[in-house]
Amino acid sequence: MRTLFAKENWLLLMLVFIPVALVLEYLVHASALWVFLASSAAIIPLAALMGRATEQLAERLGEGVGGLLNATFGNAAELIIAIVALRAGLVDLVKASITGSIIGNLLLVFGASALYGGVKFQRQQFNRTAAGLSATLLVLSATALFIPAIFHLIVPPTAGLAERTLSVEISVVLIVTYVLSLYFSLRTHRHLYVGHAGEDRDELTPTASPWKALGLLVASTAGVALMSEMLVGAVEETAAVFGMNEVFVGVILVALIGNAAEHSSAIMMAGKNKMDTAITIAVGSSIQVALFVAPVLVFLSYLIAPEPMDLRFTTLEVVAVGISVWIMSMIAQDGESHWMEGVQLLAVYVILGLAFYWLPTPG
Amino acid sequence: MRTLFAKENWLLLMLVFIPVALVLEYLVHASALWVFLASSAAIIPLAALMGRATEQLAERLGEGVGGLLNATFGNAAELIIAIVALRAGLVDLVKASITGSIIGNLLLVFGASALYGGVKFQRQQFNRTAAGLSATLLVLSATALFIPAIFHLIVPPTAGLAERTLSVEISVVLIVTYVLSLYFSLRTHRHLYVGHAGEDRDELTPTASPWKALGLLVASTAGVALMSEMLVGAVEETAAVFGMNEVFVGVILVALIGNAAEHSSAIMMAGKNKMDTAITIAVGSSIQVALFVAPVLVFLSYLIAPEPMDLRFTTLEVVAVGISVWIMSMIAQDGESHWMEGVQLLAVYVILGLAFYWLPTPG
Amino acid sequence: MRTLFAKENWLLLMLVFIPVALVLEYLVHASALWVFLASSAAIIPLAALMGRATEQLAERLGEGVGGLLNATFGNAAELIIAIVALRAGLVDLVKASITGSIIGNLLLVFGASALYGGVKFQRQQFNRTAAGLSATLLVLSATALFIPAIFHLIVPPTAGLAERTLSVEISVVLIVTYVLSLYFSLRTHRHLYVGHAGEDRDELTPTASPWKALGLLVASTAGVALMSEMLVGAVEETAAVFGMNEVFVGVILVALIGNAAEHSSAIMMAGKNKMDTAITIAVGSSIQVALFVAPVLVFLSYLIAPEPMDLRFTTLEVVAVGISVWIMSMIAQDGESHWMEGVQLLAVYVILGLAFYWLPTPG
């Protein structure tokens, strides 16, 4: 979300999928698959526009508040999709999209960035200290997912209340840690992160008026919400058509749609040898999902969902996050990347994707 | 244990809890909770005095024997508490206090040190090589706990003898490795560790006569043993009063009491920007518990306990140690710390503590 | 396999075990134990000769094709033993020897190298970048073993076809990654690996004619195949004699025999302070087994084995590989080694070996 598309014709073109989706759903009453495809395609440019509007507002509001805005709305599209799914009671899909967002950003987004950048440049470097701190936050994220799953394994089935309470308490710890990490990166240790952000700014299109940006933000948010309703409504039927299980759809498909903007931004930055920005987008987005989006959804679930959501993920989800964090932290630690590291991240993504794909559909 | 309290009035004051505990137990016959609190409060200054006496004797005996003395008696208070609990047949409590000592030193002691030091100093550095070697020893420690737990999962219930034999053999491997690691750090590669130790020495109070130190060591050891008897005797009833399970009491409470001296020393050192000393205290103490205290307790259990103790820890304990070692090794590897890393370690400690707290009490 | 024995008298002497094994098997009809010992002893020099012939051919063929040859035939002896066992339907033994080869190279070969080299030299250094990339490939290898085991745990018993398909697909990912890693190390980033290889070359005995080398390769390959038949035929009975389970035999004994040449080469290089070569032999051999030998065996199993082989390893095997990769990656990351790191690797090897030893024999 940090950067924007210099040439955005394709972006504007994709907005045509909004009316297409509406027509398919309400006029033609097309099958779920077509609605799913059209609404997915419509969310991609809308999410990008949300990111763009956030970016422009952030710039106007200055580093402090602006950084906060970016940090809070950076994954707003994913949050909206998840809220819609949560209201529909699709808790497993929500969890799967959280997992998918974490592993997708680490393995697919950064993997593709390292590969694309590495093909152009023999060796790419980034700030080891910032990357190391992010890697440690990733371990914290993995812990937060790991503990409820392990806890579920060892307590008797009657301990449901203890499990839910534990999830809520862990969510509080995560949010507090997230706020402190913002204070760290935006205030006390800004210099570790600030270099690249400054450079990127030049490439932004000339800033629009803040009111225009605010209007764009409101409109694109509404659009994402509308399209998410249709996406979520069509997801179960679409999965059934292809014989795919809900978890695979959430981990791979929904996560891809929600993160499409990050994908293209990070890869573009890697192609310009700005690996610091690429790694910030990919890893930062994962951290934001784990430390901010996930606990917010736990809290919201008590208000809007048919039943509360906890932080207990499936075994394969926990393992996938653990492995992704492990390999990412190893790649981050030496402060440089090569194309082969991109290949390795993508290989792990493919292996995990295959495992999710072959999971039997329940029932 | 490396350093002492410059102003020790509060330390001497806390010794008043020795008579208080005795009065509560034998005269007033107070409830278990009060005995637990008073004996806990009494152990803290006694453990500190033990450490101080060891330190002073070590200084007299020169680097070689002195280092050995420090390495052997560094966690003597924990060892004594564990021996008393072992004799009482509270094997699960002993194991829990081993776990708690390892994760407490890594997450709570070093986390608080990194946070406190990091608030005062923008960036704190320590020797990467020494920290890296310690981190690898931690992985070895985690392995030694992991293997018996996994082994228990995969063998049939009839393999009890194989399980016990495996634990004893692993204990031998751990002790041998520990002795070799002392030879490494005190002899062949002393230069990696020696720098900070020299600096700290200036801050010690003028050395007392060795006889006085020996007398202090004997007296404080006897005091710890006495108070441990009362602590252990009261622990089960106290846990029941609060609805806490025995594992939580061992992992969090008993481990806190046994390590209180390390806590204050390490944090004080971090506040003086001596992160090498802080990390040596925290990580070194964890390694000592895993590679020396734990196997010694396994051996002793064959002599003094109602039934032998093995190295099979519960799933949550194994996971907690694994996660602690993982995050600590990531923080150690770049040779510098920031306050946010302290926050992260503390956050993991809180999450693990919550999981232990919510474990159902058996029965 | 990179280097050869300067004085090879002992090597030639050991060839006497070929006729000894043949006599024991076909003339004396000796018990399985003696056949096992003799054929094992015969494989060691034959594997070394295979490596030597490959090396000499590789040198003639130039860096590109030669490197490829080395990379493909580097673990040919292990591959041949595994193929023979696969044809005999001993799938568990094959998997165990894969596991044993990975952990043996990481823990035993590199551990012994670091210890031996570290006793002679205070501190040994190696290229961090190359070691880091290898460590990441190791994490990928661990993932490839981990996922099928986890998948098996969570799917119902009826999902056998999905399990086999997943294994085949993962094998394809591994082979593709392996080929790309060769392209990386032999082409685009040769400079990261090339330094030490150049130095070693001086020590090779004067190169024989390529025809002689080819002849030697063919003859030694035939010899390994013949001796493997006898080894595999005798392994089950031998294990029964000692009350050892098949997995222990595969993980420890067969893996030791197949890797004996790597052991002596790596240790010799460490003794000459050429840690880059030692680490390349040890880690490279592990990677080759995981990313090349294992998937090739999966594919071959569909052609030659009584039933197809998948990538599902036992829990203890998965854990052993995971721990080995973890500790090795920590040791690799700082680019230097000390004797104590060798001790730690060996300690982990002993602990894992003990666990495998105490596994109950099925039935």
Side-chain angles (χ1 to χ4, degrees):
Chain A
M1 292 285 183
R2 285 286 139 72
T3 56
L4 290 168
F5 312 92
K7 292 170 184 173
E8 51 202 14
N9 294 337
W10 70 269
L11 189 70
L12 295 175
L13 265 178
M14 282 190 76
L15 288 174
V16 79
F17 284 107
I18 303 176
V20 168
L22 289 168
V23 166
L24 286 169
E25 171 86 350
Y26 296 108
L27 293 186
V28 187
H29 300 294
S31 72
L33 173 61
W34 293 108
V35 176
F36 180 83
L37 290 176
S39 56
S40 301
I43 286 176
I44 293 172
L46 284 167
L49 286 177
M50 278 182 76
R52 175 193 192 144
T54 309
E55 196 82 20
Q56 289 185 341
L57 270 179
E59 209 178 339
R60 282 289 171 132
L61 293 166
E63 297 236 338
V65 186
L68 209 63
L69 191 73
N70 253 329
T72 318
F73 281 90
N75 282 291
E78 280 141 292
L79 191 57
I80 294 169
I81 301 176
I83 287 173
V84 171
L86 204 56
R87 278 181 50 210
L90 301 173
V91 172
D92 288 345
L93 184 71
V94 172
K95 289 181 184 172
S97 76
I98 291 173
T99 306
S101 200
I102 296 172
I103 71 173
N105 275 299
L106 295 183
L107 301 177
L108 184 59
V109 176
F110 190 68
S113 300
L115 176 55
Y116 180 66
V119 167
K120 288 177 102 174
F121 303 92
Q122 171 86 354
R123 173 176 171 240
Q124 300 190 290
Q125 293 187 283
F126 48 84
N127 184 328
R128 283 185 61 212
T129 306
L133 282 163
S134 302
T136 326
L137 278 174
L138 287 173
V139 176
L140 177 65
S141 311
T143 303
L145 265 65
F146 210 55
I147 292 300
I150 287 287
F151 193 81
H152 178 73
L153 281 180
I154 58 186
V155 298
T158 52
L161 181 62
E163 286 194 54
R164 275 197 302 280
T165 313
L166 180 62
S167 279
V168 172
E169 290 172 344
I170 291 177
S171 298
V172 173
V173 174
L174 294 182
I175 289 272
V176 170
T177 308
Y178 185 64
V179 170
L180 289 171
S181 81
L182 291 183
Y183 189 71
F184 182 84
S185 61
L186 297 175
R187 286 267 161 197
T188 69
H189 287 67
R190 217 174 58 202
H191 59 283
L192 290 176
Y193 302 84
V194 109
H196 40 81
E199 295 164 33
D200 302 342
R201 198 150 298 148
D202 313 329
E203 315 188 23
L204 292 174
T205 47
T207 313
S209 86
W211 294 111
K212 237 169 123 178
L214 192 62
L216 182 62
L217 183 59
V218 171
S220 55
T221 304
V224 169
L226 182 66
M227 291 298 118
S228 298
E229 289 282 354
M230 293 166 59
L231 177 84
V232 167
V235 79
E236 282 182 300
E237 210 179 314
T238 305
V241 168
F242 286 97
M244 292 188 278
N245 61 79
E246 206 179 275
V247 174
F248 176 77
V249 174
V251 170
I252 306 295
L253 296 192
V254 175
L256 267 183
I257 297 161
N259 288 298
E262 276 94 340
H263 290 233
S264 63
S265 304
I267 293 171
M268 197 183 294
M269 284 297 115
K272 293 178 181 162
N273 206 13
K274 298 189 170 172
M275 286 312 277
D276 269 310
T277 312
I279 208 170
T280 300
I281 294 171
V283 177
S285 200
S286 285
I287 290 171
Q288 203 173 78
V289 168
L291 301 189
F292 179 70
V293 172
V296 162
L297 289 170
V298 169
F299 298 140
L300 280 179
S301 75
Y302 283 85
L303 302 173
I304 63 169
E307 53 176 350
M309 184 179 108
D310 57 23
L311 287 175
R312 177 164 67 81
F313 287 74
T314 65
T315 307
L316 192 56
E317 288 176 311
V318 168
V319 167
V321 170
I323 287 174
S324 306
V325 170
W326 188 15
I327 198 164
M328 186 67 207
S329 70
M330 290 191 53
I331 282 176
Q333 88 201 356
D334 66 351
E336 56 182 66
S337 68
H338 307 267
W339 66 263
M340 188 60 208
E341 294 184 316
V343 169
Q344 292 172 28
L345 290 168
L346 293 172
V348 172
Y349 187 71
V350 171
I351 291 175
L352 295 176
L354 289 168
F356 280 110
Y357 180 79
W358 285 108
L359 275 185
T361 43
Chain B
M1 289 285 184
R2 286 285 139 73
T3 57
L4 289 167
F5 313 92
K7 291 172 184 170
E8 52 203 14
N9 294 337
W10 69 269
L11 189 69
L12 295 175
L13 265 178
M14 282 191 78
L15 288 174
V16 81
F17 284 107
I18 303 176
V20 169
L22 290 168
V23 166
L24 285 170
E25 171 87 348
Y26 296 108
L27 294 185
V28 187
H29 301 293
S31 73
L33 173 62
W34 293 108
V35 176
F36 179 83
L37 289 176
S39 56
S40 301
I43 285 175
I44 292 172
L46 285 167
L49 286 176
M50 279 182 76
R52 175 192 192 142
T54 309
E55 196 81 21
Q56 289 185 340
L57 269 181
E59 209 179 340
R60 282 289 170 134
L61 293 167
E63 297 234 337
V65 186
L68 209 63
L69 191 74
N70 254 329
T72 318
F73 281 89
N75 282 291
E78 279 141 293
L79 190 57
I80 293 169
I81 301 176
I83 287 173
V84 170
L86 204 55
R87 279 181 51 211
L90 302 172
V91 173
D92 288 344
L93 184 71
V94 172
K95 288 181 184 172
S97 76
I98 291 173
T99 305
S101 199
I102 296 173
I103 72 172
N105 275 299
L106 295 183
L107 302 177
L108 184 59
V109 175
F110 190 68
S113 301
L115 177 55
Y116 179 66
V119 167
K120 289 177 102 174
F121 303 93
Q122 172 86 353
R123 173 175 171 240
Q124 300 189 291
Q125 292 187 282
F126 47 85
N127 184 326
R128 283 185 61 212
T129 307
L133 282 162
S134 302
T136 326
L137 278 175
L138 287 173
V139 176
L140 176 65
S141 311
T143 304
L145 265 65
F146 209 56
I147 291 301
I150 287 286
F151 192 81
H152 178 73
L153 282 180
I154 58 186
V155 297
T158 53
L161 181 63
E163 287 194 55
R164 276 197 302 281
T165 313
L166 180 61
S167 280
V168 172
E169 290 172 344
I170 291 177
S171 299
V172 173
V173 174
L174 294 181
I175 289 272
V176 170
T177 308
Y178 185 64
V179 170
L180 290 171
S181 81
L182 291 183
Y183 188 72
F184 182 84
S185 61
L186 296 176
R187 287 269 159 197
T188 69
H189 287 67
R190 217 174 58 202
H191 59 283
L192 289 176
Y193 302 84
V194 108
H196 40 82
E199 295 164 33
D200 302 343
R201 198 150 297 147
D202 314 328
E203 316 188 22
L204 291 174
T205 46
T207 314
S209 86
W211 295 109
K212 238 170 123 178
L214 192 62
L216 181 63
L217 183 58
V218 170
S220 56
T221 304
V224 168
L226 183 65
M227 291 298 116
S228 297
E229 290 282 354
M230 293 166 59
L231 177 83
V232 167
V235 80
E236 282 182 301
E237 211 179 313
T238 305
V241 167
F242 286 97
M244 291 189 275
N245 61 80
E246 207 179 275
V247 174
F248 176 78
V249 173
V251 170
I252 306 295
L253 297 191
V254 174
L256 266 183
I257 297 161
N259 288 298
E262 276 95 338
H263 289 232
S264 62
S265 304
I267 293 171
M268 197 182 295
M269 284 297 116
K272 292 178 182 163
N273 205 13
K274 299 189 171 174
M275 286 313 277
D276 269 310
T277 312
I279 208 170
T280 299
I281 294 171
V283 177
S285 201
S286 286
I287 291 171
Q288 202 172 80
V289 168
L291 301 189
F292 178 71
V293 173
V296 162
L297 289 170
V298 169
F299 298 140
L300 279 179
S301 75
Y302 282 85
L303 301 174
I304 63 169
E307 53 176 349
M309 184 179 107
D310 57 22
L311 286 176
R312 176 164 66 82
F313 287 74
T314 65
T315 307
L316 192 56
E317 288 175 311
V318 169
V319 168
V321 170
I323 287 173
S324 307
V325 170
W326 188 15
I327 198 164
M328 186 69 205
S329 70
M330 290 191 52
I331 282 176
Q333 88 201 355
D334 67 351
E336 56 182 67
S337 68
H338 307 268
W339 67 261
M340 188 60 209
E341 293 184 317
V343 169
Q344 292 172 29
L345 291 168
L346 293 172
V348 172
Y349 188 72
V350 172
I351 292 175
L352 295 176
L354 288 168
F356 280 110
Y357 180 79
W358 285 109
L359 275 185
T361 43
Chain C
M1 290 281 185
R2 287 284 139 75
T3 56
L4 290 167
F5 313 94
K7 291 171 185 173
E8 53 203 13
N9 293 338
W10 69 269
L11 188 70
L12 295 175
L13 265 178
M14 282 191 77
L15 288 175
V16 80
F17 285 107
I18 303 175
V20 168
L22 290 168
V23 166
L24 286 170
E25 170 86 349
Y26 296 108
L27 293 184
V28 186
H29 300 294
S31 72
L33 172 61
W34 293 109
V35 175
F36 180 83
L37 289 177
S39 56
S40 301
I43 286 176
I44 293 172
L46 285 167
L49 287 176
M50 278 183 76
R52 176 195 192 143
T54 308
E55 197 81 21
Q56 289 185 340
L57 270 181
E59 208 179 338
R60 282 289 170 133
L61 292 167
E63 297 234 337
V65 187
L68 208 64
L69 191 73
N70 254 329
T72 319
F73 281 90
N75 283 290
E78 281 142 291
L79 190 58
I80 293 170
I81 301 176
I83 287 173
V84 171
L86 203 57
R87 279 181 51 208
L90 301 172
V91 172
D92 288 345
L93 184 72
V94 172
K95 289 181 183 172
S97 75
I98 291 173
T99 305
S101 199
I102 295 173
I103 72 172
N105 275 300
L106 295 183
L107 302 177
L108 184 59
V109 175
F110 190 68
S113 301
L115 176 54
Y116 179 66
V119 167
K120 288 176 103 175
F121 303 93
Q122 171 86 355
R123 173 174 171 241
Q124 300 189 290
Q125 293 186 283
F126 47 85
N127 184 327
R128 282 186 62 212
T129 307
L133 282 163
S134 303
T136 326
L137 278 175
L138 287 173
V139 176
L140 176 65
S141 311
T143 304
L145 265 64
F146 210 55
I147 292 300
I150 287 287
F151 193 81
H152 178 73
L153 282 180
I154 58 185
V155 298
T158 52
L161 180 62
E163 287 194 53
R164 276 196 303 280
T165 312
L166 181 61
S167 279
V168 171
E169 291 172 345
I170 291 178
S171 299
V172 172
V173 174
L174 294 182
I175 289 272
V176 170
T177 309
Y178 185 63
V179 170
L180 289 171
S181 82
L182 292 183
Y183 189 72
F184 182 84
S185 60
L186 297 176
R187 287 266 161 199
T188 69
H189 288 67
R190 217 174 59 203
H191 59 283
L192 290 176
Y193 301 84
V194 107
H196 40 82
E199 295 165 32
D200 301 344
R201 197 150 299 147
D202 313 329
E203 315 187 23
L204 291 173
T205 46
T207 314
S209 86
W211 294 109
K212 240 169 120 178
L214 191 63
L216 182 62
L217 182 59
V218 171
S220 56
T221 305
V224 168
L226 182 66
M227 291 298 117
S228 298
E229 289 282 355
M230 293 166 60
L231 177 84
V232 167
V235 79
E236 282 182 300
E237 211 179 312
T238 305
V241 169
F242 286 96
M244 293 189 276
N245 61 80
E246 207 179 275
V247 174
F248 176 77
V249 173
V251 170
I252 306 295
L253 296 191
V254 174
L256 267 182
I257 297 161
N259 288 298
E262 276 95 338
H263 289 233
S264 62
S265 304
I267 293 171
M268 197 183 293
M269 284 297 116
K272 292 177 182 163
N273 206 14
K274 298 188 171 173
M275 287 311 277
D276 269 309
T277 311
I279 208 170
T280 300
I281 294 172
V283 177
S285 201
S286 286
I287 291 171
Q288 202 172 80
V289 168
L291 301 189
F292 179 69
V293 173
V296 162
L297 289 170
V298 169
F299 298 140
L300 280 179
S301 75
Y302 282 85
L303 301 174
I304 63 168
E307 54 176 348
M309 184 178 108
D310 57 22
L311 286 175
R312 177 165 66 82
F313 287 74
T314 65
T315 307
L316 192 56
E317 288 175 311
V318 168
V319 167
V321 170
I323 287 174
S324 307
V325 169
W326 188 14
I327 197 164
M328 186 68 206
S329 70
M330 290 192 52
I331 282 177
Q333 89 201 354
D334 67 350
E336 56 183 67
S337 68
H338 306 268
W339 66 263
M340 188 61 208
E341 293 183 317
V343 168
Q344 292 172 27
L345 290 168
L346 293 172
V348 173
Y349 188 71
V350 171
I351 291 175
L352 295 176
L354 289 168
F356 280 111
Y357 180 79
W358 285 107
L359 275 186
T361 43

